[in-house]
Amino acid sequence: DTAVSQTPKYLVTQMGNDKSIKCEQNLGHDTMYWYKQDSKKFLKIMFSYNNKELIINETVPNRFSPKSPDKAHLNLHINSLELGDSAVYFCASRGPGQNQETQYFGPGTRLLVL
Amino acid sequence: AQKITQTQPGMFVQEKEAVTLDCTYDTSDPSYGLFWYKQPSSGEMIFLIYQGSYDQQNATEGRYSLNFQKARKSANLVISASQLGDSAMYFCAMRGFYSSASKIIFGSGTRLSIRP
């Protein structure tokens, strides 16, 4: 009964490849996020969707494209992977209901670009 | 602009002692929320505690309490009776409520190590 799940957990790939990371939440939340955590542990928001609508789009290369087929899913597709894309990518979700301000995180996807 | 500052990159504490992790923030939003997350070596982000800017009392969750001082713009995390399992990175975070599209921002984290 995992609340926020991500697949895959680990992703090792070559530079130039295209890859996708999937995220699903079963909390009934209506807002979902993608974060990137770099090697220095700094967490930065990339995108946010509310009810399948993009509401936050930080300065992220357009090689990164989020897609939200429904409220429970937010996927991240990355084209032409670069060495600097190596990081841990976290999905998170929030509200409504009790604790609606709190974001709950998935386990993370560790991406290594060779 | 919003900003979160955690000035302690690392801390060592003896087991069973209390520990305070510092966090200061800056925002122009009239209402906002403050959060603390724990990230153990396994990598997951675990929510610990939440404080709303208009909450009358400081938040508590088990051994965690948030020492919220609004005038000083500080939201320190206090862990009582520390345990070996408390060794982890701890992140302070904030979200302003002015806009539903406002984002949560994180501090740079404090690495807490508990000595047996």
Side-chain angles (χ1 to χ4, degrees):
Chain A
D1 59 345
T2 306
V4 183
S5 59
Q6 293 178 231
T7 54
K9 191 167 182 181
Y10 299 94
L11 187 51
V12 181
T13 188
Q14 298 285 335
M15 225 169 29
N17 284 351
D18 303 338
K19 290 294 178 185
S20 291
I21 307 171
K22 295 187 176 182
C23 177
E24 177 181 3
Q25 53 92 7
N26 62 4
L27 298 167
H29 290 167
D30 56 4
T31 305
M32 295 184 72
Y33 304 83
W34 276 111
Y35 289 88
K36 180 180 180 181
Q37 186 175 40
D38 62 24
S39 58
K40 295 183 178 178
K41 299 293 187 183
F42 185 66
L43 259 167
K44 194 172 187 319
I45 191 167
M46 300 173 69
F47 301 103
S48 176
Y49 272 74
N50 179 264
N51 284 315
K52 301 193 297 176
E53 182 181 340
L54 181 66
I55 58 170
I56 294 175
N57 185 350
E58 288 294 288
T59 309
V60 176
N62 56 16
R63 299 182 293 104
F64 290 80
S65 52
K67 277 195 174 58
S68 182
D70 54 59
K71 283 196 319 181
H73 295 84
L74 179 61
N75 303 324
L76 183 65
H77 188 75
I78 316 170
N79 287 327
S80 303
L81 277 155
E82 300 177 357
L83 295 177
D85 297 333
S86 296
V88 181
Y89 292 84
F90 284 100
C91 176
S93 71
R94 178 178 72 85
Q98 193 178 13
N99 300 326
Q100 63 179 352
E101 293 304 332
T102 299
Q103 293 187 18
Y104 294 91
F105 283 77
T109 294
R110 286 141 191 85
L111 171 65
L112 178 60
V113 182
L114 302 173
Chain B
Q2 298 184 117
K3 189 178 179 182
I4 289 275
T5 303
Q6 293 181 253
T7 57
Q8 305 153 311
M11 286 184 73
F12 286 90
V13 171
Q14 203 66 31
E15 191 180 7
K16 298 180 185 173
E17 288 184 352
V19 56
T20 298
L21 304 181
D22 294 341
C23 173
T24 57
Y25 62 91
D26 194 17
T27 181
S28 55
D29 281 356
S31 66
Y32 47 89
L34 295 155
F35 309 82
W36 278 92
Y37 286 85
K38 173 184 178 182
Q39 187 176 39
S41 57
S42 51
E44 70 266 36
M45 291 287 288
I46 302 167
F47 166 71
L48 294 179
I49 196 166
Y50 165 78
Q51 176 85 43
S53 60
Y54 283 102
D55 291 343
Q56 295 295 322
Q57 294 188 340
N58 286 347
T60 60
E61 288 285 349
R63 293 187 300 113
Y64 304 108
S65 60
L66 201 152
N67 184 1
F68 178 46
Q69 297 187 44
K70 195 171 182 177
R72 297 179 62 181
K73 294 190 174 179
S74 75
N76 298 341
L77 176 71
V78 180
I79 306 175
S80 63
S82 57
Q83 302 170 357
L84 295 178
D86 293 334
S87 294
M89 281 287 284
Y90 288 81
F91 293 95
C92 180
M94 175 181 67
R95 189 176 88 85
F97 298 157
Y98 180 72
S99 162
S100 62
S102 61
K103 58 191 180 186
I104 190 170
I105 58 168
F106 285 82
S108 54
T110 295
R111 185 174 295 281
L112 176 64
S113 300
I114 307 298
R115 292 193 179 114

